[in-house]
Amino acid sequence: MFITDRQSEECNDADANHAVEVIPFTPTRMPIAYSYVSRDTMARVERLEALIIDDPGHRGIAPLVVKGSLLKSALALSTRHGCVAVATGFPCLPDSPYEETDGPPGALAVVRAVQALGAESITLLCHEQSVAMYREIVDFCVAEGILQRTVSMRTVSAADTDNVIETEISKFDHLVAVECISPNKTGAYPTMSGRDVSDHCSPLDRWFAAALNSNTTMTTGIGDGGNEIGMGNVQDKVRKCITNGEAIASSVGCDHLITAGVSNWGGYALAASLYALQTCHDHSYYVRFGMGTHKEPDASMMLPSVESEEKLLLKLNDLHIRDGRTPDQPMSVDGFLFSDLHAKVIRAMHSAVGQ
């Protein structure tokens, strides 16, 4: 039985698309929490999920997909987003600034969407060597209207004690990692080829590992190869199904794992799912009256656009952030030109959520 404060005439049982599904979204270590959403909105999020699990690089990611995680992550963020940290950074290139074009755009898409939800505090978590670079990127995004306002920057040090980290993460409702390199079972940070790039990495994963032992902070991991924060959930499948899997498999899990053909797509899809939930009458009613936190969605500030993402990619290239697979090819992510593939995926996401 489901008890509601809504009058029976508000609910049209004859319209199956507006029937409500009640979905738990918290991990077992936390008090169970539910949200509800219309079947029509669930179908929109499922279409987004189907879009992002396309595997253009033929890495064999299908076994790493956990269906339904996109919706649960979005429900968790929609319900609790007062204080959010978004981590990114995969220093796989041989020369400075080392980082690639997959990761930052997806992470900033999540930041943008959470800002539009009305988050009180947002932190961008990055490797120590990249803090100044990300500050420049964030300032650019604010100047161009891609972000509403600036965000705080943080990194993690190997010298940070467990108590310090536990205190820090207790302040956050949710940690999201987008294409953020993870240690393997030996503690090394490997690229997809198995090359150890630990010298260029800060232990951002320590925040996520600590959160998994807390009863306050949820975590989402977004990845596309098996060696990112969050992929520890499927590390046995990474070892079995992914090239170099035994050497690269992530040892760090998460509560909600979003697997995508390109990690940026996972960030875009999470942002689009948040928009879909805010435009869902049933879910927004719950958030507005049950939580008192609903904010009318603005598509222009929640959904990544082809124009904004093209501007951002140009800025990354100007900072010598390059494609990790084809570094000599400008305006490219994971071996594919933005105009040839990524722009089409963004447009398809807008269609999926009715924009």
Side-chain angles (χ1 to χ4, degrees):
M1 179 173 66
F2 183 68
I3 301 173
T4 178
D5 63 345
R6 297 179 66 179
Q7 298 293 322
S8 60
E9 58 266 23
E10 293 183 63
C11 305
N12 182 4
D13 292 337
D15 186 351
N17 284 336
H18 287 90
V20 170
E21 294 285 344
V22 181
I23 300 171
F25 59 82
T26 45
T28 55
R29 70 175 189 282
M30 299 174 71
I32 192 165
Y34 295 84
S35 189
Y36 64 91
V37 62
S38 72
R39 289 180 183 167
D40 177 65
T41 300
M42 285 182 64
R44 294 182 184 192
V45 176
E46 287 167 359
R47 288 196 290 272
L48 290 169
E49 193 170 57
L51 276 172
I52 66 173
I53 61 175
D54 183 41
D55 187 7
H58 304 293
R59 287 176 170 164
I61 64 168
L64 314 185
V65 173
V66 181
K67 290 189 176 179
S69 287
L70 178 61
L71 176 60
K72 289 185 176 181
S73 175
L75 287 171
L77 272 169
S78 177
T79 305
R80 296 176 57 199
H81 52 258
C83 191
V84 176
V86 182
T88 192
F90 204 109
C92 60
L93 289 161
D95 53 318
S96 181
Y98 306 108
E99 298 200 15
E100 62 169 329
T101 51
D102 191 22
L108 290 166
V110 176
V111 170
R112 177 187 176 107
V114 175
Q115 280 188 339
L117 285 178
E120 297 171 8
S121 173
I122 304 174
T123 297
L124 188 63
L125 195 63
C126 60
H127 299 291
E128 183 176 6
Q129 66 181 14
S130 303
V131 171
M133 179 182 75
Y134 277 104
R135 171 53 61 201
E136 184 172 345
I137 293 169
V138 167
D139 289 347
F140 169 83
C141 289
V142 174
E144 292 292 330
I146 297 171
L147 296 179
Q148 293 181 11
R149 58 190 178 277
T150 193
V151 300
S152 60
M153 311 289 298
R154 289 292 304 273
T155 190
V156 181
S157 169
D160 292 342
T161 67
D162 290 343
N163 285 340
V164 165
I165 288 177
E166 289 167 9
T167 300
E168 285 296 322
I169 63 103
S170 68
K171 303 171 186 176
F172 291 90
D173 296 307
H174 208 123
L175 308 180
V176 181
V178 184
E179 186 69 9
C180 196
I181 193 168
S182 170
N184 63 13
K185 63 183 178 181
T186 71
Y189 292 81
T191 66
M192 287 297 291
S193 66
R195 181 168 56 89
D196 185 356
V197 293
S198 300
D199 288 347
H200 304 304
C201 298
S202 300
L204 310 183
D205 50 280
R206 291 184 66 196
W207 274 33
F208 287 79
L212 290 175
N213 291 315
S214 80
N215 60 4
T216 58
T217 307
M218 278 183 280
T219 60
T220 292
I222 299 175
D224 60 14
N227 54 351
E228 303 91 357
I229 290 175
M231 285 288 178
N233 288 17
V234 291
Q235 58 185 290
D236 290 342
K237 292 179 179 179
V238 173
R239 292 191 182 102
K240 180 179 179 181
C241 303
I242 302 296
T243 301
N244 298 319
E246 187 64 37
I248 72 169
S250 167
S251 63
V252 180
C254 63
D255 297 313
H256 305 298
L257 174 62
I258 299 171
T259 302
V262 178
S263 291
N264 282 345
W265 298 356
Y268 298 159
L270 183 53
S273 297
L274 288 169
Y275 173 76
L277 289 175
Q278 300 311 300
T279 53
C280 171
H281 177 76
D282 297 292
H283 179 75
S284 64
Y285 186 94
Y286 163 73
V287 173
R288 186 167 66 251
F289 292 100
M291 306 297 294
T293 58
H294 178 70
K295 182 176 181 178
E296 288 300 321
D298 179 352
S300 68
M301 291 310 299
M302 291 195 74
L303 296 176
S305 68
V306 170
E307 294 74 21
S308 65
E309 293 308 301
E310 189 170 40
K311 283 182 183 179
L312 177 54
L313 189 54
L314 277 167
K315 177 62 176 178
L316 297 184
N317 283 180
D318 286 345
L319 293 172
H320 305 291
I321 301 172
R322 296 167 292 156
D323 189 328
R325 300 184 72 177
T326 54
D328 294 329
Q329 179 171 260
M331 297 301 291
S332 177
V333 181
D334 270 6
F336 299 94
L337 288 171
F338 180 81
S339 58
D340 287 351
L341 179 61
H342 306 287
K344 294 175 182 178
V345 171
I346 293 170
R347 292 189 183 100
M349 289 186 184
H350 280 244
S351 296
V353 296
Q355 279 293 305

